[in-house]
Amino acid sequence: MATAVGGQREIEIHHHFVWGSEEEAMDAVLSAYTDRNPNVSVAEEQTAINALRLMIKSRILREDPPDVWDEWPGANLRPTVEAGATADITDLWERTDMGRAYFDGMVDVARFDGEFHAVPLDMHRISNLYYNVELFETAGVDPARLSGPDELAEALPALAEEAEQPIAVFGRNPFGLLQLWETLFLAHEGPDGYEEAADGRPSPHRAGIRAGFDTLERYLAAGPDNPEFMDSSDLEFAFSDGEAACMNNGSWSTGHMAGSDMEFGRDWDCVPFPGTDGTHIVNTNAIVPAAHTEGDEAVTEFVEYMGSADTIERFNTVSGSVPPRSDVSTADLHPMSRELHDAFGGRATQLPSMCHGLAVRPEQVVQLKDAVATFLQDRDADAAADAVVAALS
């Protein structure tokens, strides 16, 4: 429960927004909350995402979780929900009509067997191709005309004549490789195959799984020498410094690019990854209240504030991400975020990300990471495809 400290109510929140525009965004929304609620203080703990998960799990086991934390929802959060560690906030969703305001894909990952246990804060597309406009033009490559991932692979030699890295690939963790592989799998197999595989029926789609690894091998051959030592920030700096002609990364990179010397539309741009137009792999960071806060008015009001249209708009405007609600003003968003918001609100399909655990359970994410990490070392596409089929079955 929110505790009383020095006459004030205190709410403890743990989150992973530890640097850059995301940290600024969280600072902005928490400062606005305390300004509006002088009788409530917020005890804030910031921890990198992987360490945060371990910390939350440890505190749940000690029966001392924070009041609120942020997490990737969907299948990733289900074990925590099933353990009874999260609050049922269905009444909040119904009272505030959040179900009508949030995009359908976000409603799906926040709801568990008819009950809501999370409030999405932002939204990202995973299946992106960020590209350097000048380098692509000089190489004679039009990203909008690349019909699939293999066409991009065929363009890499021309890009290599213009850039130190024709494509940047990061494999540390190995989150980046899994993110790129699932994008390639979607491009090869289509949304129906992606959904069926993630839902536990991967065997009929083994050819597409294998094709994803075959294409990944072509990108790795053209990419940096030691991708296993590169993380997401290394990837972003390689791109914003002009060393890399293109990269696949989530739309959180827009926040980094907005703070760089490169201008959107003139120096850099972003399109759906070749072969994925009309279908988006998406992720979200969601606010999750602990089970012990049920009935706590202060925490309920805080969670309602975090999921409100005003807060969602403020957070995503600063962070460069995409508001997961349809009822926010997009006037002050980054132009790319506005484009994505329009796409998410249209007819495009939203698929939950595997690498973030929205589509698959935590133990499956570990197995998938093992599969791509092993592939990075031995480049055995058949073995990698078998490992993925086993993980998703």
Side-chain angles (χ1 to χ4, degrees), residues 130-136 235-247 253-270 334-335:
Y130 286 84
Y131 68 97
N132 183 301
V133 173
E134 180 181 358
L135 293 176
F136 267 64
L235 183 86
E236 290 173 335
F237 280 110
F239 182 71
S240 63
D241 290 346
E243 297 175 6
C246 63
M247 67 175 183
S253 288
T254 300
H256 170 83
M257 294 306 300
S260 74
D261 293 331
M262 299 178 73
E263 182 179 331
F264 176 70
R266 185 194 69 186
D267 302 315
W268 71 275
D269 211 326
C270 182
H334 188 278

Side-chain angles (χ1 to χ4, degrees), residues 52-296:
L52 175 64
R53 287 207 184 88
L54 293 174
M55 180 185 298
I56 296 299
K57 183 176 181 179
S58 175
R59 290 195 55 175
I60 288 174
L61 291 173
R62 299 201 311 266
E63 299 184 354
D64 180 36
D67 298 316
V68 179
W69 67 91
D70 90 276
E71 182 57 281
W72 296 333
N76 176 69
L77 186 60
R78 179 169 286 278
T80 309
V81 172
E82 291 177 347
T86 59
D88 177 358
I89 53 172
T90 304
D91 287 346
L92 170 62
W93 273 76
E94 293 177 348
R95 174 170 54 81
T96 60
D97 211 15
M98 285 183 176
R100 293 175 62 88
Y102 275 97
F103 293 132
D104 290 346
M106 299 294 95
V107 174
D108 291 342
V109 297
R111 183 170 51 199
F112 302 83
D113 303 322
E115 296 180 354
F116 287 95
H117 289 258
V119 171
L121 182 61
D122 58 10
M123 193 171 180
H124 293 283
R125 184 174 70 189
I126 309 304
S127 45
N128 300 298
L129 181 70
Y130 286 84
Y131 68 97
N132 183 301
V133 173
E134 180 181 358
L135 293 176
F136 267 64
E137 287 181 349
T138 305
V141 179
D142 181 355
R145 295 178 66 87
L146 299 173
S147 60
D150 287 333
E151 284 73 16
L152 174 60
E154 291 165 5
L156 294 180
L159 292 168
E161 295 181 5
E162 309 298 333
E164 181 179 334
Q165 297 179 32
I167 185 169
V169 180
F170 73 106
R172 190 174 177 181
N173 188 27
F175 172 84
L177 287 184
L178 180 54
Q179 174 180 267
L180 178 52
W181 171 81
E182 72 172 322
T183 296
L184 295 173
F185 173 53
L186 169 63
H188 281 294
E189 199 69 2
D192 290 342
Y194 182 100
E195 286 188 290
E196 285 192 4
D199 286 343
R201 301 184 302 279
S203 295
H205 307 285
R206 187 187 181 283
I209 292 171
R210 161 70 194 258
F213 283 108
D214 287 336
T215 308
L216 179 57
E217 163 62 22
R218 300 176 72 180
Y219 293 176
L220 287 168
D225 292 335
N226 298 298
E228 64 270 22
F229 298 121
M230 292 183 66
D231 61 19
S232 182
S233 61
D234 296 322
L235 183 86
E236 290 173 335
F237 280 110
F239 182 71
S240 63
D241 290 346
E243 297 175 6
C246 63
M247 67 175 183
N248 161 245
N249 207 14
S251 54
W252 53 82
S253 288
T254 300
H256 170 83
M257 294 306 300
S260 74
D261 293 331
M262 299 178 73
E263 182 179 331
F264 176 70
R266 185 194 69 186
D267 302 315
W268 71 275
D269 211 326
C270 182
V271 294
F273 202 88
T276 69
D277 195 15
T279 303
H280 309 296
I281 303 176
V282 298
N283 181 43
T284 179
N285 297 293
I287 299 300
V288 180
H292 70 259
T293 67
E294 284 195 26
D296 188 316

Side-chain angles (χ1 to χ4, degrees), residues 33 37 40 95 296-306:
Y33 177 79
N37 299 273
V40 181
R95 174 170 54 81
D296 188 316
E297 185 175 338
V299 174
T300 300
E301 289 178 354
F302 176 76
V303 174
E304 180 177 350
Y305 165 82
M306 294 298 289

